[in-house]
Every structure is written in C-alpha cells, then in structure tokens.
Amino acid sequence: MTRTSMGKALNTALRDALREDPAVHILGEDVGALGGVFRVTDGLAAEFGESRCADTPLAESGILGSAVGMAMYGLRPVVEMQFDAFAYPAFEQLVSHVARMRNRTRGRLPLPLTIRIPYGGAIGGVEHHSDSSEAYYMHTPGLQVVTPATVADAYGLLRAAIACDDPVVFLEPKSLYWSKADWSEDRPGEVPPPGRAVVRREGRSATLLTYGPALPMCLEAADAALADGRELEVVDLRSLVPFDDETVCASVRKTGRAIVVHEAAGFGGAGAEIAARVTERCFHRLEAPVLRVTGLDIPYPPPMLESHHLPNADRILDAVERLQWSDEPAGRTGERGRHAVDA
Amino acid sequence: MTQLHTATHPHEADAAALRAREALLPEVRALRVLGTEQAAGADPDLLLSFHRRLVTGRRFNEQVTTLTRQGMLAGYPSSTGQEACQIAAAQVLRPQDWLFPTYRDALAVVARDIDPLQVLGLMRGDWHNGYDPRETRTAPLCTPLATHLPHAAGLAHAARLAGDDVVALALTGDGGTSEGDFHEGLNFAAVQRAPVVFLVQNNGYAISVPLHKQSAAPSLAHKGVGYGMPSTLVDGNDVLAVHTALGAAVERARGGGGPTLVEALTYRIDAHTNADDSTRYRPDSEVERWRRRDPVLLLERELQERGLLDEAVREKAEAEADALAAMLRRRLGAPAGLDPMDLFEHVFAEPTSQLLEQRDMLSEELRLDASQGPAGGAHR
C-alpha cells in the first residue's frame, strides 16, 4: 500500500476507464496538455491522444451540449467543469436535456454521461471557486448525484459513474483532493455501489449524516465527543441521488438522534430534504428534532472569512449538545451553542 | 535556412488571411434557382416530387392547425410558408445522416418518413416523441432554443471520430441565433471541423419580435463568418434553392470540409402558435406580400413554364394530401391510451427506492379509483 491522494485516485479511475472502454472520452477546458487545473486528467492526453482527452473551447454549455451529442452517438463522455460555479452556464443543458433525454425518448436514448464538478470551499479560492451546488442537481429528476469523501471511494465511485447508463453529476470535494490514504492503484478494492450510504464510524448516542468535504470534520467531532461520553455514529451518504433511506434510518433508529452536516447553505439545501425524510420515517424513534449544521445562508464569502462560514467540529459538537439529552439539566439545551444552528 | 526562404512574408500572410475571410462572406443576394436558367437543368422527377411533398406538407400544417383549434392538440407551431425549407432539409439527408429539429420542424421529420402521430406526440400532450432517435437518426424535437446545436456538433464530431460517413443537419430559427448555444454550437463545430450543417430558417419573427430587434448583423449568415465557416444566404421559399444550398453544404461536410451555415429567408404565414395573435405585431399587407411568394406557388410557376403541371399531377398531389389529412383526423381523434404507471418508467435505468414508493402510492390510488367506479368522488 502506498499513500495516495484523492486527486491521484481520480486520475487512476479515468485512466483505467479510458483503457478498458474505447467509448470513454474526456472533454473540458484545460484537460489536455495541462492535465486539468487540479491535475486530475494529468497525462491522459499524452497516453490516449487528444481525441480521447480533448481540450475544448471555453464554453461550458457547449462542452456539455457536445457531450450530449457524443453520447447520442454511443460514446461515454466524461466532462470536466473545472469549478462549481463555472458549471452554471451548462445548467440549461443539464436540466433541459441531460436529465430528461432518457425519459423524453422513453428509454431509447439514455445518456451515459459523467459530469465532474470540483465543488466546495476551504481552499482559499476567490468567488465562483467555492460553491456547493449539490441541491440544484439533486432537485432535477433524472440526474444521479454522488460525491466521494475517501480515496477509495473517489476511485470506486468515479469508475461506477462512468460505467453508469444514466447521467451522473460527480462532485469532487476540492478540499479533499490532497487528502491521502493507504490505497494502491494495483489493488483498488471494491467499494459499495453508488446509492449505498456507509457507516464510517459506529456509535450509539447520535448519528451524524454527512457527505463529501464534511466527512473529516464529522469524524473529528466524533473523536472529541467521546470526552463528553457521547458516541457519535458517522454516516457517509456518498450518493445524494439515489438516496439510501435504509442505511440512514437504520442508524437514526438505533441512536434516536441525528444531525445533518454539509458545507452548502442550509436553507433549501440537501440537509432540509434529509432531515424531512428522517423525520417522516423515524419520528417515533427520535428523541430530538433533526438538526442541521451547514454553511451560512450567504453568498460564498471572501477567503479571509470563509472559516466563519464553513461548518466545523466545534459547531457540530454544539449541535450535539442541543439534542435534548435526558441527562442534561433542564433549560441547558441550546444555551451552550455559540453559533446559530437550526433547531 | 530553407524554412526561412520559403516562409510567407507577413504582408502576404495578411493578404491571404484577408482573402480567406472574404471567401467566407456570404453573397449579399440570396440564392434563387426557380425561375432562373439553373432551374432548367433540374430533374423533372425531382421537381414533381418536391411539388407532391410541398402540397402534402401544406395540408399537414393546415389539418394539424385545425385539429389544434378543435382541442385535439395542446398546440401546434405551424410551418405554413416554410414548407420549402422543411422538405428540402429532409430531402438532402441520406438514411445514415442525422436531423436535429426544433418544435417548428415537425414537417421536416414527417418528410423523413417518420409516423406523423409519433412526431406530434409533443404537441398532442403525449410522451415527447414516439420515434426512436437512433433508429430514425432524428433527434427529439427541441423546445429550448438552440440547445440542440451543440448536440449536433457533438454527434457529428463523434461520427467523424468513428470514421463513419454521417452528416448532421441542425435546424434553428432567427430567434435561436441570439441564444448562447447557437454560438457555442457553431464554434465547437468549426473548431472540430465537424460534419454538420446549420440551417437558420429566418421567418422574420421570434414570436412577436422582428428581425431588426433580434440582430444588427447584415444577415444571419454573416454570423458564421466569425466562426470561420462558409455561410450562404438562400431564398427559403424556393425549394430548389434551399435544396441546392443544403446539398452543397452536406457534400462539403461529408467531404471533410467542416460545417456550413445556411440562412434561408422565409416567412411564417401563421401565428407563432394558436396562442399567439400575430395581428398585434405585423401588418396584413406584409403577410399578403409573402403569400405572393408562397413556396408552392413559386414551384408551380416553374412547373407550368416547363409544361410539367397538368391536372393529373395536381390530382395526384391532392389525393396524397387528402389521404394524409384523413389519417391525421382519424388517428388524432382516437384516445391516446396512456398508462399512468408509465410515469415511473425511464426516469433512471433502475428506479430509485423513492420512485418505487411513489409508484406503489399511485397504483393504490388507481386501484381505489377503479373500485369506486365512475361515480367515485375526488375525495376518498
């Protein structure tokens, strides 16, 4: 085993997909000679040629629209959108065509497309380089939305996305590109399929439901919570669409308490959907309302202030204390929270 | 050293670039063939087939418009007046070529010999389109403007990568040329030298907005020049001219010459759809002027001059049109027979557990509805 970064695992996934299936084509801005601004396509144009890993004109709608046509002709395009907010010009293609071509043609024209979007903040990026856009894509029927939080998942989920006969929005957490794990490209190992959530840490006090860039802070909070005698279970959703109600509800029914944690703004976000689903399914097993710890409801702030916007282990721990513990003195609930958390 | 001696002088290079650019500029006058010497060389059988198809196409537009007024279709964007573009577009394509139509191009799809009922699904309120895009080499009718142009570029590019002898023909209107995807689609196609032909049917109005408020370019064909593609201007009511221009563009694409933009000057005789009142934004005199340039009329004049238009020809065309109209009335009048349970099909390759739950819910609702019979109230 070697220490491998998530970026490298993604690169390996693309390389293996290109090797195994001649229908796979990568296209995007700067994916060729430069190897992508995050180097995720590093070396692929050199190895597979410029038609398999193609630099395109700088036009996201055109990139995705061309990929639609390529998929119509039987290819499996993998599109890179470079940065979250740069994908917005392609939004019309995504919602008006990519998401519904299968449905519109009654299954005759599925679009096996992967749309890679580096997303999220905490890398000191200027505006338009740190958005968490998952809720836009989740709200569009016909799109699968997945996001890895571990190196092994980065490889496994991306391979699965490319092999999928449906369009997949593949959200790459920028802050984890350089995170490393013991992982070998010679033996990448099996990961659960997209659509399955995974319990990353067992616990019985409360469940943290999270995905992508927020997983490490949840694990950190779970470590710290032990000091207060709280054993937090951490569930990595991995896939927002399809959503794994089964694993999520099994965990919440076990612990009786749940907090959804994500970087994106809370209002109308993924956490709202997840909290509602959990409440609908586990109401009689819940000891407290499902809470959310999220980014603030503001446009992504300048880098010098982003630490105040982003959720972190402290805010998660504050929220844990608001979960109406029976061993707490009455009236204490909510007082410890320094930060506003929806309750 | 050799390279230095043979290198082009900068000024010579400028002159060459200028010549290359000028070569791309469209002719100021739109190409016309009917009524000119060029038409004299046209094959009589081709002209007669155009006539039959134009007459039938006109009847298609009229009959579907009538059925829309009778409530059998949710709406129909008529292409009356633009039949020459529609017929010529279908005619230049071989079976392996792809057509990318808009919502106003139902007739071009029907002219590709695709079942009209399948083509009218979108307008009828049925599932979007009943035809198989891969089998018929025809993309679904596109409702958002110009978003299908990058699709055509991408598909043509993929076909070229595969070494297949395939050309894509993408249709759009004058309004569509203002959309970002028009520019992105053309630019992609030009950079990739994709075998694709863009036909702009300039019918004067984007719903109510006239061309002069849509574009300040000398012509819409000029827009191709900026992308480095040859562009031509053609009389869109002259079926032979459209056929000639598109035919040349398709051949060029097939031969590896890259994309071409063809602007066809035509006119939408009817309103945008039956929901639109065209008297609010254009004078009757303008419509009348274009009626005198009707594509059927122009072709019949040519046929008459060449002694090709007799009663038998007219009767044959009319009979074909009558049969089509009768078929449309009969089949559009019949119940569509949709199954609500199909709502959950084809959202994903495999339905999600959330969809399966909703499917069960609807199934139960339908079962209760059926058990309560027609007298069952809205509330259970």
Side-chain angles (χ1 to χ4, degrees):
Chain A
M1 285 290 173
T2 43
R3 296 294 286 174
T4 308
S5 71
M6 180 180 280
K8 176 66 181 160
L10 292 166
N11 177 264
T12 305
L14 293 172
R15 177 174 285 107
D16 288 353
L18 285 163
R19 274 184 190 151
E20 285 174 25
D21 186 353
V24 174
H25 281 64
I26 293 171
L27 64 160
E29 169 77 8
D30 302 315
V31 299
L34 182 65
V37 293
F38 293 104
R39 307 292 182 267
V40 173
T41 57
D42 192 24
L44 301 180
E47 183 174 347
F48 298 98
E50 287 180 10
S51 74
R52 299 285 306 282
C53 184
D55 275 330
T56 61
L58 205 175
E60 287 74 14
S61 188
I63 293 170
L64 186 51
S66 298
V68 168
M70 292 165 74
M72 287 171 83
Y73 204 75
L75 299 182
R76 284 187 178 272
V78 182
V79 166
E80 177 175 305
M81 283 297 169
Q82 197 160 91
F83 281 95
D84 33 61
F86 296 178
Y88 301 149
F91 196 68
E92 184 183 17
Q93 284 291 345
L94 195 64
V95 300
S96 293
H97 294 293
V98 172
R100 62 177 74 196
M101 194 66 90
R102 171 188 286 280
N103 191 254
R104 170 188 288 156
T105 60
R106 303 279 76 204
R108 295 189 185 99
L109 204 60
L111 292 181
L113 261 170
T114 303
I115 302 141
R116 293 182 38 241
I117 308 178
Y119 83 121
I123 62 160
V126 295
E127 72 166 345
H128 307 299
H129 292 71
S130 298
D131 284 11
S132 295
S133 41
E134 60 268 31
Y136 304 132
Y137 307 124
M138 283 172 70
H139 196 60
T140 303
L143 298 177
Q144 297 201 14
V145 184
V146 305
T147 176
T150 69
V151 173
D153 252 7
Y155 178 87
L157 282 178
L158 185 51
R159 290 302 308 273
I162 296 169
C164 181
D165 286 333
D166 283 317
V168 179
V169 176
F170 190 87
L171 297 167
E172 298 174 1
K174 284 195 287 285
S175 60
L176 300 183
Y177 269 140
W178 302 274
S179 65
K180 288 190 173 178
D182 288 331
W183 182 85
S184 165
E185 61 183 73
D186 305 326
R187 279 171 296 147
E190 290 283 311
V191 297
R196 298 302 302 185
V198 166
V199 176
R200 296 284 180 207
R201 182 191 176 109
E202 303 251 3
R204 53 180 180 77
S205 306
T207 301
L208 301 181
L209 301 166
T210 192
Y211 56 88
L215 178 66
M217 67 184 80
C218 286
L219 294 172
E220 183 191 340
D223 269 344
L226 284 177
D228 288 339
R230 311 273 189 238
E231 292 176 23
L232 302 183
E233 182 145 302
V234 179
V235 177
D236 175 6
L237 299 172
R238 304 169 73 246
S239 167
L240 295 167
V241 183
F243 187 79
D244 185 358
D245 285 306
E246 199 183 329
T247 304
V248 165
C249 290
S251 174
V252 176
R253 287 192 187 112
K254 182 176 84 174
T255 63
R257 291 175 169 82
I259 300 170
V260 192
V261 184
H262 62 60
E263 260 196 45
F267 192 86
E273 172 64 29
I274 295 164
R277 302 191 75 79
V278 166
T279 306
E280 285 167 357
R281 284 162 180 75
C282 312
F283 184 70
H284 291 292
R285 304 290 282 275
L286 284 173
E287 305 286 344
V290 180
L291 303 185
R292 286 172 286 165
V293 177
T294 70
L296 307 178
D297 295 330
I298 57 172
Y300 201 90
M304 292 169 84
L305 291 173
E306 71 178 343
S307 65
H308 300 285
H309 163 69
L310 295 170
N312 55 36
D314 282 342
R315 281 189 195 169
I316 296 167
L317 290 169
D318 282 348
V320 168
E321 290 312 306
R322 294 169 175 222
L323 285 172
Q324 304 190 4
W325 303 96
S326 53
D327 55 356
E328 292 289 331
R332 183 171 171 189
T333 299
E335 284 173 10
R336 272 187 60 184
R338 285 173 292 113
H339 305 285
V341 174
D342 289 348
Chain B
M1 287 303 284
T2 318
Q3 276 190 339
L4 272 180
H5 285 293
T6 56
T8 316
H9 190 275
H11 294 298
E12 288 173 33
D14 287 350
L18 195 64
R19 279 196 301 277
R21 279 200 297 274
E22 280 174 351
L24 295 175
L25 282 170
E27 287 285 331
V28 183
R29 293 176 65 87
L31 172 70
R32 281 184 184 170
V33 178
L34 289 174
T36 72
E37 278 182 23
Q38 207 183 331
D43 174 17
D45 286 343
L46 180 69
L47 291 180
L48 289 170
S49 120
F50 279 149
H51 181 256
R52 222 171 45 246
R53 285 171 177 272
L54 283 181
V55 170
T56 314
R58 172 63 49 85
R59 184 68 64 83
F60 179 89
N61 276 323
E62 289 172 350
Q63 182 63 77
V64 178
T65 300
T66 302
L67 291 170
T68 305
R69 290 203 190 97
Q70 293 171 0
M72 288 184 195
L73 289 94
Y76 178 65
S78 164
S79 60
T80 292
Q82 301 179 218
E83 289 92 343
C85 295
Q86 306 268 310
I87 298 304
Q91 189 78 16
V92 294
L93 297 179
R94 298 188 308 183
Q96 69 266 39
D97 296 329
W98 276 72
L99 178 69
F100 285 81
T102 75
Y103 56 84
R104 198 180 298 287
D105 301 314
L107 184 54
V109 182
V110 171
R112 275 207 107 179
D113 297 327
I114 296 174
D115 180 357
L117 260 288
Q118 294 184 334
V119 181
L120 291 170
L122 170 71
M123 274 60 116
R124 195 188 184 192
D126 195 345
W127 288 107
H128 190 285
N129 63 275
Y131 55 88
D132 185 328
R134 284 214 175 99
E135 212 170 81
T136 59
R137 302 275 171 150
T138 304
L141 304 181
C142 190
T143 308
L145 296 190
T147 52
H148 60 312
L149 304 185
H151 303 175
L155 181 133
H157 174 61
R160 188 161 174 250
L161 287 178
D164 294 342
D165 181 22
V166 166
V167 170
L169 171 60
L171 311 178
T172 190
D174 40 308
T177 65
S178 300
E179 293 279 2
D181 272 8
F182 172 82
H183 304 278
E184 299 195 15
L186 263 65
N187 192 41
F188 266 69
V191 169
Q192 291 156 341
R193 289 182 77 77
V196 52
V197 177
F198 300 99
L199 172 62
V200 178
Q201 294 175 75
N202 175 1
N203 67 14
Y205 292 88
I207 304 190
S208 70
V209 178
L211 184 70
H212 72 271
K213 289 185 180 173
Q214 197 66 241
S215 170
S219 76
L220 298 177
H222 275 77
K223 292 177 188 287
V225 180
Y227 300 106
M229 75 175 70
S231 309
T232 60
L233 200 57
V234 63
D235 180 346
N237 286 16
D238 176 340
V239 69
L240 207 49
V242 183
H243 187 254
T244 303
L246 287 181
V250 165
E251 281 318 303
R252 184 171 176 276
R254 212 183 290 291
T260 302
L261 174 64
V262 177
E263 177 189 0
L265 296 169
T266 183
Y267 196 77
R268 156 162 62 75
I269 293 293
D270 291 337
H272 168 64
T273 66
N274 54 318
D276 164 39
D277 176 6
S278 60
T279 63
R280 281 174 174 244
Y281 56 83
R282 63 184 196 188
D284 290 346
S285 58
E286 181 183 293
V287 183
E288 267 318 301
R289 210 162 54 242
W290 278 94
R291 279 189 195 282
R292 290 196 292 275
R293 298 215 70 257
D294 185 283
V296 184
L297 210 65
L298 292 183
L299 181 62
E300 288 193 342
R301 208 174 284 158
E302 179 78 33
L303 290 171
Q304 233 151 14
E305 276 180 23
R306 291 178 59 172
L308 292 169
L309 190 68
D310 56 23
E311 271 314 297
V313 166
R314 280 186 191 279
E315 275 173 22
K316 194 177 172 201
E318 287 298 326
E320 198 175 310
D322 286 347
L324 176 70
M327 184 269 274
L328 289 170
R329 288 193 299 272
R330 189 182 71 247
R331 289 180 63 198
L332 281 166
L338 298 181
D339 182 354
M341 295 313 290
D342 283 347
L343 288 168
F344 303 99
E345 298 299 317
H346 312 301
V347 181
F348 296 103
E350 296 289 329
T352 60
S353 59
Q354 292 78 31
L355 277 175
L356 292 175
E357 280 176 23
Q358 291 170 16
R359 190 167 77 179
D360 288 346
M361 179 196 75
L362 182 63
S363 173
E364 179 65 7
E365 284 176 6
L366 292 171
R367 192 186 64 75
L368 285 170
D369 283 349
S371 70
Q372 291 186 348
H379 302 285
R380 288 183 287 268

